[in-house]
Amino acid sequence: MGFPSIPHEWLSQVLFAGAYDWLGLDGIVLITSLIIMLTWSVVYYDALRRSNSFFSSLLFTILAVGASQIHVLPRPHIFTYILTAIWIVLLERIDEHKPRTWWPLPLVMLLWVNLHGMFVIGIIIWGIYLTGDFLDHPSQAWFSSAKAKTLMIGGALSLTTTFFSPSGPNIWMAITSLGSNVYITSKIPEYQSANFHLPETWPFIIILLFVIIGFARTTEKVSWIYILLVVSFTGLALYTSRMIPVFAIVVAPIAAKAFASWIQNEYEQSRIFIIEKNIHKTNSSSNGLIWLPVLILAVIILFTSGKTIDSENLGNVFDERFFPVEATIWLQHHPQRGHMFNEFDWGGYLLLELWPAYQIFMDGHTHIYGEEMTREYEKVTTMGKDWQYVLAKYDVAWVIVRANAPLVRALSASDNWAIAYQDQTTIILTKK
């Protein structure tokens, strides 16, 4: 591109790089699993605290875990999951009797803004808590209440903290431009609405239906905060599938409370509540949390010893059916000169295996490359008008793409290009 750019998720990359240097792909799997486990632990205990119902908390945590599987990947956005859960717990703790509970908010936001660009979710949630609390207590006296002051101080400092990253205030411009760019978002599957005919989306639908029923049947007054959270994140989840896991994190404790209130009010004499009370009492006194660090330690020991824990005994490796594994090995022994044109999905892998000897054409950081270059990439891969001009413009000397890519047939038919390497997954063509 000819100019430097700072990844907004630089701290996530540092943590992933440290895990990779320590244990290779096992380290990436370990840190991802740990963060996901902690996320749902926080959601479960938040749901349990609000609902005071073991069964309801467990049910909606399980449903939330199922809903989140649509976008659980070893990528920086998983840090947004755990920080969203923690952020909500911190906001829930703010009340009239704890006027100094604002200070953790800017600290969490300082981490968030350097870990992932979806820190904006935290600002939105804070705005909902502030607005919802006012709607619950609409009066001039609200502005001088301890809770309102705590929310405003914590939120204002958190908003200021978002400028404390290597990108400074420009991070807001970059996120706004990416989110508002219809072309780029239309080309990224995770930005599209989910297909609700697929079974993996059904836990989301079940949570939504239960929370609607719970709101309708509960005899307690439902806070405006919870109404706004459910409405806002339902809308976001319907608009883009990548927001479904965040919806699950935000809404699961609300749904657990509403569902438990409805069931307890209408079936107060049911024996199931006696059973639930006994199970909850046993679970609370069994010190079950001690097994979590024991399990983590056991997995770390297995990984560091080189053992595999999968059924195929392969371990955590890059699957050569989906990544150019053999091709990168070939390139390390047969260096190519000139600029590369690469498969979009392989950009990150090629950087991992070949940098700094080679520089890629493009990868998933579309907010860095911009719309113009993304359109040029698409023009080449779809054989659009003047696609040869794009390759000439960037002085592309060799191409590494999937074996069945349309570009392969077009270049192979030309007298100016020849196949230098080929396997079942990858083809490398060089310019004569």
Side-chain angles (χ1 to χ4, degrees):
M1 293 293 290
F3 60 87
S5 181
I6 302 171
H8 305 316
E9 64 279 3
W10 70 271
L11 185 54
S12 297
Q13 294 188 7
V14 169
L15 295 175
F16 277 126
Y20 185 80
D21 289 342
W22 177 32
L23 292 174
L25 284 181
D26 288 342
I28 302 297
V29 171
L30 181 64
I31 192 174
T32 302
S33 303
L34 180 61
I35 292 169
I36 296 301
M37 180 186 69
L38 291 175
T39 298
W40 296 117
S41 297
V42 173
V43 170
Y44 167 75
Y45 283 104
D46 185 29
L48 185 61
R49 182 190 62 81
R50 295 197 214 181
S51 67
N52 197 30
S53 170
F54 172 76
F55 287 156
S56 182
S57 302
L58 186 61
L59 170 64
F60 284 96
T61 301
I62 292 172
L63 287 172
V65 171
S68 72
Q69 296 308 301
I70 196 170
H71 195 48
V72 173
L73 301 166
R75 286 167 45 184
H77 69 268
I78 62 171
F79 291 100
T80 282
Y81 294 168
I82 180 63
L83 291 174
T84 298
I86 293 172
W87 186 257
I88 289 175
V89 170
L90 292 175
L91 288 169
E92 283 287 316
R93 289 181 58 195
I94 296 176
D95 58 38
E96 290 292 330
H97 306 293
K98 297 179 180 179
R100 296 183 180 179
T101 50
W102 56 264
W103 64 268
L105 294 175
L107 294 180
V108 172
M109 185 54 65
L110 181 62
L111 272 177
W112 205 340
V113 73
N114 288 285
L115 283 167
H116 191 235
M118 283 179 68
F119 68 90
V120 178
I121 294 297
I123 301 299
I124 292 173
I125 293 173
W126 163 73
I128 289 174
Y129 268 81
L130 188 67
T131 304
D133 192 62
F134 172 75
L135 293 176
D136 285 335
H137 312 90
S139 67
Q140 189 172 356
W142 175 85
F143 292 94
S144 59
S145 67
K147 184 174 183 179
K149 289 180 179 178
T150 303
L151 281 169
M152 286 187 279
I153 292 172
L157 290 175
S158 299
L159 191 58
T160 304
T161 305
T162 63
F163 300 135
F164 288 86
S165 75
S167 300
N170 291 332
I171 194 169
W172 282 95
M173 297 174 58
I175 292 170
T176 302
S177 62
L178 175 63
S180 61
N181 192 305
V182 178
Y183 172 77
I184 290 181
T185 54
S186 69
K187 300 302 176 182
I188 303 176
E190 66 194 53
Y191 279 96
Q192 310 307 307
S193 297
N195 180 357
F196 293 103
H197 294 278
L198 299 177
E200 55 261 36
T201 63
W202 295 350
F204 162 76
I205 298 173
I206 294 171
I207 294 173
L208 183 57
L209 292 176
F210 271 127
V211 79
I212 292 172
I213 296 171
F215 280 178
R217 299 297 298 172
T218 182
T219 58
E220 298 178 7
K221 180 183 177 182
V222 180
S223 170
W224 269 106
I225 295 174
Y226 300 150
I227 294 173
L228 293 176
L229 284 173
V230 171
V231 170
S232 300
F233 282 91
T234 298
L236 289 171
L238 292 173
Y239 181 74
T240 169
S241 62
R242 71 179 303 183
M243 289 302 298
I244 289 179
V246 181
F247 162 90
I249 292 167
V250 172
V251 176
I254 300 173
K257 180 180 180 180
F259 181 80
S261 177
W262 160 40
I263 296 297
Q264 289 168 1
N265 286 335
E266 297 198 9
Y267 305 97
E268 187 176 0
Q269 304 302 322
S270 175
R271 288 190 60 189
I272 194 171
F273 297 118
I274 300 175
I275 298 172
E276 178 187 52
K277 185 177 180 180
N278 292 332
I279 293 176
H280 180 46
K281 184 178 180 180
T282 303
N283 184 65
S284 300
S285 61
S286 63
N287 294 321
L289 285 176
I290 195 173
W291 294 107
L292 292 179
V294 170
L295 177 62
I296 294 169
L297 181 61
V299 173
I300 292 174
I301 292 173
L302 283 173
F303 282 165
T304 52
S305 65
K307 301 290 185 180
T308 58
I309 57 176
D310 59 301
S311 58
E312 298 179 355
N313 202 34
L314 296 176
N316 296 302
V317 296
F318 288 105
D319 194 330
E320 59 186 26
R321 294 173 299 173
F322 306 103
F323 292 94
V325 177
E326 296 298 327
T328 54
I329 295 174
W330 183 86
L331 283 169
Q332 290 167 354
H333 294 88
H334 301 82
Q336 301 298 307
R337 295 182 178 181
H339 295 163
M340 170 202 317
F341 182 89
N342 63 277
E343 195 79 37
F344 177 88
D345 294 341
W346 292 349
Y349 177 79
L350 294 173
L351 276 175
L352 176 66
E353 297 294 335
L354 300 177
W355 188 87
Y358 298 94
Q359 294 185 352
I360 63 170
F361 185 86
M362 197 173 189
D363 67 358
H365 289 88
T366 48
H367 62 282
I368 294 177
Y369 297 99
E371 180 178 343
E372 180 181 353
M373 192 169 185
T374 306
R375 286 184 179 274
E376 289 178 326
Y377 172 85
E378 184 184 28
K379 183 182 291 186
V380 174
T381 57
T382 60
M383 308 288 99
K385 183 180 179 182
D386 297 329
W387 63 271
Q388 299 96 330
Y389 168 75
V390 177
L391 296 180
K393 174 183 175 181
Y394 292 100
D395 195 21
V396 172
W398 60 284
V399 171
I400 176 169
V401 291
R402 286 186 171 86
N404 59 355
L407 182 62
V408 172
R409 294 189 293 273
L411 293 180
S412 299
S414 170
D415 294 333
N416 297 326
W417 292 83
I419 296 176
Y421 172 86
Q422 181 175 3
D423 60 34
Q424 292 183 344
T425 305
T426 314
I427 284 184
I428 298 175
L429 298 104
T430 58
K431 195 172 183 180
K432 294 181 182 178

